[in-house]
C-alpha cells in the first residue's frame, strides 16, 4: 500500500492479511488483503490484485550455423542431415517445432530452416539457419577438331562451315554461347582464329572448349618491274624510274629493293641490275628485276706534239731528243696512256725517222692514239777524192781509146756508205771520142752524198750528118709525152739519135719549138727544130651526183670531180653553201674548168627532212596530300632541236583528291610531235589535328545533358566533322570517358578523349527543419519516415536505427542518404509517458475471509 490517510493526523498502521491465488490461469492473478488501523483503533481491509504474467520467451540451445553442401552427383539437389537443437523455459514445459527435418532433400539454392519454441504462456523463441545447396558440378561441352583450309582465290580468307557445339548439365537451364572467334559460314581471315564456346549452367558453373580455324595463305604476291633502261655517252647519270610495288590478296605485303640503286640515284657506267622482292604476310615472295645500263661510248682524246726534226750530233750517227710525252684525257676517270711505238723522251734516236705512237685507253675499252715523228737528219756529208783529168787521143781504128785509172772509194760518219760510178766508164773501158766525165758518188745511209769527177778526153774532129730535114709537126689535144728522135750519121757512130731541149711531157697549149741536137760526142754538133702543137677542144666529163640527205643538217662532205681528157681529175667548184640547216631541198651548182677554155656544169640536191619525233623519258608522279602543282616542266630530246619544252592544255595545279592525268606535247617544229602523260596524285593521308592538346574535364554533380564539341584543324583546310560516342544525358556518378572523333572526309580520322566527371557532393536537405516529437503512453510500434530533398536524387526518405517498438523515451536519429555518398542526419524525440492510472476490472471486490 503506497498511499493511505486518515482524518487524524497520526498515520494509520497497515498490515498484510492474506493472499488468494488462482494457480490455473496464465497469467496468474493473486488477490492480496491489507488491514489498515488508525491511531484510534479504527480499521478497514483493502485488497490489491497482483497479476503475474510470464513474458519470458523460451531459450533454444544448439541452434546450428548455416550449412553449405554441394549437390549430389548427377542431381540438381542434395539430401542434408543435422542434429536438431533443444529448448527450455523459465516456467516449465516448452514445445519445439521445425519447418524442415534432418534428411530432407533440398534444392539448389538457399533454404531457411526455422525452429520455434513455444511455452505455456504463448511466449515463443525462434532460431534459423540456412541450408545452401551449391551446384558445383560443371557442365559438359565438346568442340569439333581443328580446321585447316587454304584461302579462297583472290581473298585474304576462306568461308568455313562447322557444327557449333552445345553444352549439357546436371541441372536444366544451361546456355551455350560463342565467346571468341567467328560463326560457321563466316569469312575467316588468313591466320589462326580461335573459336571458343562457353556453357554456363543455371548456377554460374562454366566450362569451355575451343578449336582453331586456320586459313593458310597459299597465294603468292605479284610484282611487275619496268622495262630495262639504257643511257649512252656518259660516265654516270641520275636515273629515275617508277619503283615497283607488289600486290597481294592479303594486306601487309612489303616490297624491298634487294639489289641495285633506288630511283633518283646516280648510276655509273655499266649494267646495274635492280631487283625487287615483295613478301606477303604469310612469307610468300615474288621477285622482278630490270637493268639500267650506262654506256660510255665516247673515245678518249690524246694530242701528240708536232713532228720533231733535229740534226745528228756531229761525228755521230744519232742525236739525243727530248719531248713532252702526251697524256690522254677522257670524259670518265681512269684513262691510261702508254707508248706503243718509238723511243722514250731523252733517248738516243738513230739517224732517220722514228715513229713515236701513244695510245690512251679509258676504263671501258674505248681507245685513241696519236703519233709524231722524230727525224734525225744526217747532215755530215761523206768524203771522196778522184784522180786528175786524163787526156788521150783515140786509138787507131776505133772511135775511142782504152783508158785505165784508180777508182776512188768514199768514207762517212755513219756505216754503210756506198761508192758507185755514177757517170763515165770504168777503168779499162773503151772511152769514146770526146770527153768522158767519170763521176764517182759516195752515198751514206741518210742519202747524203759527195761526188768527185775527172775527165777522159778522146779527140774526134768529124761532124755528124742529119738524116731528115725538115722534121714534121707533132700534134695533140693535151700533151706530148714522147718524141720520136730523128737521127744523123757520124764517122764515129753509124747512127746518132738526136736529143732535144724540150721538157716532157709538153702540156702547154699552143706551139712549142723543139730543138734537136746531134752530137757525135766528140765536140762536133749539128741542130734541127720541130714544132709540137697542143690544142685541147674537149670539155671535162661528169658523172651523176647522188643527193646529200639529213634530218637536221647536211653537209656536202665529198667535193665532186669530173674527168678531163687532159687534166685528168678536175675538182668541182661552186659559189653555193655546202652546209644547210633548213628543211627542204637545196640545189648546189658545180662547175668544172679544165683551164683550157672548156667548162662543164652539173647540179646536186641537198635534202633536209626531219622525220624523227622528240624522245621522251618516263615522267614521275607529282604527289600531294591536299594540293599538288607540276613545278618542273618536262622536256624531250629532239635529234634536230635538242631540248624541247613540253606544252599542255591541262591545269598544272590540282586540289581534288584522286589521280589527275596531264598530257604533255613536244613539237619539234618539223611536223614531228610526241606526247606523254603525267599523273598528279592527291591523296590526303594525314588525320586532323585537335586544336587543343587535351580536353578539359566536364564536371557536374548530377547530370550532363549536352557537350560542347571541340574542334580540329585538317592539313587540307577542309571542314572537320566532329562526333562522339556518348549517350546523353550522362547521369552515372564517376568518370565517363567520352571519345571524340574528328573526320576530315578523306578517310582520315583522329580521336581524343574527354572525361565527364559526375561527383555529387551535396547532401540532401530535410523538408522539415525540426521534426515534431512523437508522444505515446506505453510504446511506439512504428514511425512515420520524414523526407528530404536532394539536388540529384529528388525526394529522399529518412531511415533510422531505432529498435521498434520503442517503450522508453528515445532520441531517434533519422539519416537521409542520396546514394552518392552524401548523408545528413536529423533527430526526433519519441516520448513515452504513462499518465493514465489503471482501471480496476471489478468495481467492488468480494470480501474474502480466511480462518487462521
Amino acid at each position: 500500500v503506497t498511499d493511505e490517510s486518515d482524518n487524524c493526523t497520526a498515520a494509520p498502521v497497515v498490515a498484510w492479511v492474506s493472499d488468494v491465488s488462482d494457480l490455473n490461469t496464465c497469467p496468474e492473478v493473486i488477490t492480496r488483503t491489507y488491514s489498515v488501523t488508525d491511531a484510534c483503533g479504527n480499521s478497514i481491509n483493502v485488497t490489491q490484485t497482483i497479476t503475474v504474467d510470464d513474458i519470458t520467451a523460451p531459450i533454444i540451445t544448439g541452434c546450428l550455423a548455416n550449412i553449405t553442401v554441394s549437390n549430389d552427383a548427377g542431381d540438381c539437389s542434395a539430401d542434408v542431415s543435422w542434429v536438431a537443437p533443444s529448448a527450455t523455459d523459465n516456467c516449465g514445459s516448452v514445445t519445439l517445432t521445425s519447418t524442415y527435418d534432418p534428411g530432407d532433400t533440398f534444392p539448389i539454392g538457399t533454404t531457411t530452416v526455422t525452429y520455434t519454441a513455444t511455452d505455456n504462456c504463448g511466449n515463443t523463441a525462434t532460431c534459423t539457419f540456412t541450408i545452401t545447396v551449391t551446384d558445383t558440378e560443371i557442365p559438359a561441352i565438346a568442340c569439333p577438331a581443328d580446321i585447316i583450309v587454304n584461302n579462297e582465290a583472290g581473298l585474304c580468307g576462306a568461308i568455313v562451315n562447322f557444327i557449333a557445339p552445345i553444352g549439357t548439365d546436371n541441372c536444366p537451364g544451361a546456355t551455350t554461347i560463342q565467346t571468341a572467334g567467328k560463326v560457321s559460314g563466316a569469312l575467316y581471315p588468313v591466320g589462326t582464329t580461335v573459336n571458343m564456346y562457353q556453357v554456363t549452367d543455371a548456377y554460374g558453373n562454366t566450362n569451355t572448349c575451343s578449336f582453331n580455324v586456320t586459313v593458310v595463305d597459299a597465294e603468292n604476291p605479284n610484282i611487275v618491274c619496268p622495262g630495262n633502261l639504257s643511257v649512252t655517252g656518259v660516265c654516270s647519270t641520275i636515273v629515275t624510274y617508277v619503283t615497283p610495288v607488289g600486290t597481294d590478296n592479303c594486306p601487309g605485303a612489303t616490297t624491298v629493293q634487294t639489289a641495285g640503286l633506288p630511283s633518283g640515284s646516280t648510276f655509273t657506267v655499266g649494267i646495274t641490275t635492280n631487283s625487287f622482292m615483295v613478301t606477303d604476310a604469310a612469307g610468300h615472295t615474288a621477285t622482278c628485276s630490270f637493268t639500267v645500263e650506262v654506256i660510255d661510248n665516247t673515245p678518249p682524246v690524246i694530242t701528240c706534239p708536232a713532228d720533231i726534226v733535229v740534226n745528228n750530233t756531229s761525228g755521230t750517227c744519232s742525236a739525243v731528243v727530248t719531248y713532252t710525252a702526251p697524256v690522254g684525257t677522257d670524259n670518265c676517270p681512269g684513262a691510261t696512256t702508254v707508248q706503243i711505238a718509238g723511243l722514250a723522251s731523252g733517248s738516243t734516236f738513230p739517224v732517220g725517222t722514228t715513229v713515236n705512237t701513244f695510245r690512251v685507253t679509258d676504263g671501258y675499252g674505248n681507245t685513241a692514239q696519236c703519233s709524231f715523228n722524230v727525224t734525225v737528219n744526217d747532215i755530215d756529208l761523206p768524203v771522196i777524192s778522184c784522180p786528175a783529168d786524163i787526156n788521150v787521143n783515140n786509138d787507131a781504128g776505133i772511135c775511142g781509146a782504152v783508158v785505165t785509172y784508180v777508182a776512188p772509194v768514199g768514207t762517212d760518219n755513219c756505216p754503210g756508205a756506198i761508192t758507185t760510178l755514177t757517170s763515165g766508164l770504168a777503168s779499162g773501158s773503151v772511152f769514146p771520142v770526146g770527153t768522158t766525165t767519170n763521176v764517182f758518188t759516195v752515198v751514206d745511209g741518210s742519202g747524203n752524198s759527195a761526188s768527185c769527177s775527172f775527165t777522159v778526153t778522146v779527140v774526134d774532129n768529124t761532124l755528124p750528118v742529119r738524116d731528115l730535114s725538115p722534121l714534121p709537126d707533132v700534134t695533140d689535144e693535151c700533151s706530148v709525152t714522147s718524141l720520136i728522135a730523128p737521127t744523123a750519121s757520124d764517122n764515129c757512130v753509124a747512127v746518132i739519135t738526136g736529143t732535144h731541149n724540150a721538157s716532157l711531157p709538153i702540156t702547154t697549149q699552143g706551139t712549142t719549138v723543139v730543138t734537136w741536137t746531134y752530137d757525135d760526142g766528140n765536140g762536133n754538133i749539128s741542130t734541127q727544130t720541130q714544132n709540137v702543137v697542143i690544142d685541147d677542144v674537149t670539155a671535162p666529163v661528169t658523172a651523176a651526183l647522188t643527193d646529200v640527205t639529213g634530218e637536221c643538217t647536211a653537209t656536202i662532205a665529198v667535193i665532186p670531180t669530173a674527168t678531163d681528157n687532159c687534166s685528168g681529175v678536175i675538182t668541182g667548184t661552186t659559189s653555193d653553201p655546202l652546209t644547210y640547216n633548213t628543211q627542204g631541198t637545196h640545189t648546189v651548182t658545180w662547175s668544172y674548168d679544165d683551164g683550157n677554155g672548156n667548162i662543164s656544169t652539173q647540179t646536186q640536191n641537198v635534202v633536209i627532212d626531219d622525220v624523227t619525233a622528240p624522245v621522251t623519258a618516263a615522267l614521275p608522279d607529282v604527289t600531294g596530300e591536299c594540293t599538288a602543282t607540276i613545278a618542273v616542266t618536262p622536256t624531250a630530246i629532239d635529234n634536230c632541236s635538242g631540248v624541247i619544252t613540253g606544252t599542255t592544255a591541262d591545269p598544272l595545279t590540282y586540289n581534288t583528291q584522286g589521280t589527275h592525268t596531264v598530257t604533255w606535247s613536244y613539237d619539234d617544229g618539223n611536223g614531228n610531235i610526241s606526247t606523254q602523260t603525267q599523273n598528279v596524285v592527291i591523296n590526303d593521308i594525314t588525320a586532323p589535328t585537335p586544336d587543343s592538346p587535351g580536353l578539359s574535364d566536364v564536371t557536374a554533380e548530377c547530370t550532363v545533358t549536352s557537350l560542347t564539341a571541340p574542334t580540329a584543324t585538317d592539313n587540307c583546310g577542309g571542314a572537320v566533322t566532329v562526333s562522339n560516342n556518348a549517350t546523353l544525358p550522362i547521369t552515372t556518378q564517376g568518370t565517363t570517358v567520352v571519345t571524340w572523333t574528328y573526320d576530315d572526309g578523306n578517310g582520315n580520322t583522329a580521336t581524343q578523349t574527354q572525361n565527364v566527371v559526375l561527383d555529387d557532393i551535396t547532401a540532401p536537405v530535410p523538408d522539415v527543419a525540426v521534426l515534431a516529437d512523437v508522444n505515446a503512453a506505453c510504446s511506439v510500434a512504428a514511425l512515420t519516415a520524414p523526407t528530404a530533398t536532394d539536388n540529384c536524387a529528388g525526394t529522399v526518405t529518412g531511415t533510422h536505427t531505432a529498435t521498434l517498438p520503442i517503450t522508453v523515451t528515445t532520441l531517434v536519429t533519422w539519416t537521409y542518404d542520396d546514394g552518392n555518398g552524401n548523408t545528413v542526419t536529423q533527430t526526433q524525440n519519441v516520448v513515452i509517458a504513462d499518465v493514465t492510472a489503471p482501471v480496476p476490472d471489478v468495481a467492488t471486490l468480494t470480501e474474502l475471509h480466511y480462518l487462521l
Side-chain angles (χ1 to χ4, degrees), residues 689-784:
T689 301
D691 293 335
S692 175
L695 297 179
S696 301
D697 292 349
V698 177
T699 59
E701 286 200 44
C702 306
T703 183
V704 171
T705 59
S706 64
L707 294 172
T708 301
T711 59
T713 302
D714 188 57
N715 61 318
C716 290
V720 177
T721 302
V722 183
S723 61
N724 64 52
N725 64 343
T727 300
L728 295 175
I730 298 172
T731 59
T732 303
Q733 288 289 305
T735 299
T736 299
V737 179
V738 176
T739 300
W740 292 94
T741 300
Y742 309 97
D743 191 338
D744 66 0
N746 294 329
N748 306 301
T749 60
T751 60
Q752 195 173 30
T753 59
Q754 184 177 35
N755 294 326
V756 176
V757 181
L758 296 185
D759 185 11
D760 182 8
I761 59 174
T762 302
V765 177
D767 293 337
V768 178
V770 178
L771 296 176
D773 291 349
V774 176
N775 296 296
C778 301
S779 66
V780 172
L783 293 172
T784 300

Side-chain angles (χ1 to χ4, degrees), residues 819-832:
N820 295 329
N822 305 301
T823 60
V824 67
T825 60
Q826 193 175 31
T827 60
Q828 185 177 35
N829 291 319
V830 178
V831 181
I832 306 297

Side-chain angles (χ1 to χ4, degrees), residues 444-456:
D444 61 17
S446 298
N448 297 309
S449 63
S451 300
C452 68
S453 65
F454 62 96
T455 60
V456 175

Side-chain angles (χ1 to χ4, degrees), residues 24-28 52-54 120-121:
N24 296 318
T25 63
C26 190
E28 180 183 357
V52 180
D53 191 2
D54 180 8
N120 290 333
C121 290

Side-chain angles (χ1 to χ4, degrees), residues 556 574 576-578 580 586-590 602-606:
I556 299 177
T574 181
D576 297 323
L578 298 183
Y580 293 88
H586 309 273
T587 301
V588 176
T589 300
W590 292 99
Q602 68 177 156
T603 60
Q604 184 175 23
N605 292 326
V606 179

Side-chain angles (χ1 to χ4, degrees), residues 542-633:
T542 61
L545 295 178
T546 58
D547 290 348
V548 175
T549 61
E551 288 199 45
C552 311
T553 183
T555 298
I556 299 177
V558 178
I559 304 301
T561 59
T563 302
D564 186 63
N565 60 324
C566 294
S567 302
V569 176
I570 295 178
T571 300
T573 61
T574 181
S575 60
D576 297 323
L578 298 183
T579 298
Y580 293 88
N581 300 310
T582 306
Q583 295 287 308
T585 300
H586 309 273
T587 301
V588 176
T589 300
W590 292 99
S591 177
Y592 309 93
D593 188 339
D594 65 2
N596 297 325
N598 305 301
I599 299 174
S600 298
T601 60
Q602 68 177 156
T603 60
Q604 184 175 23
N605 292 326
V606 179
V607 181
I608 309 296
D609 184 14
D610 180 11
V611 297
T612 301
V615 178
T616 62
L619 295 178
D621 290 348
V622 176
T623 60
E625 288 200 43
C626 311
T627 184
T629 298
I630 299 178
V632 178
T633 301

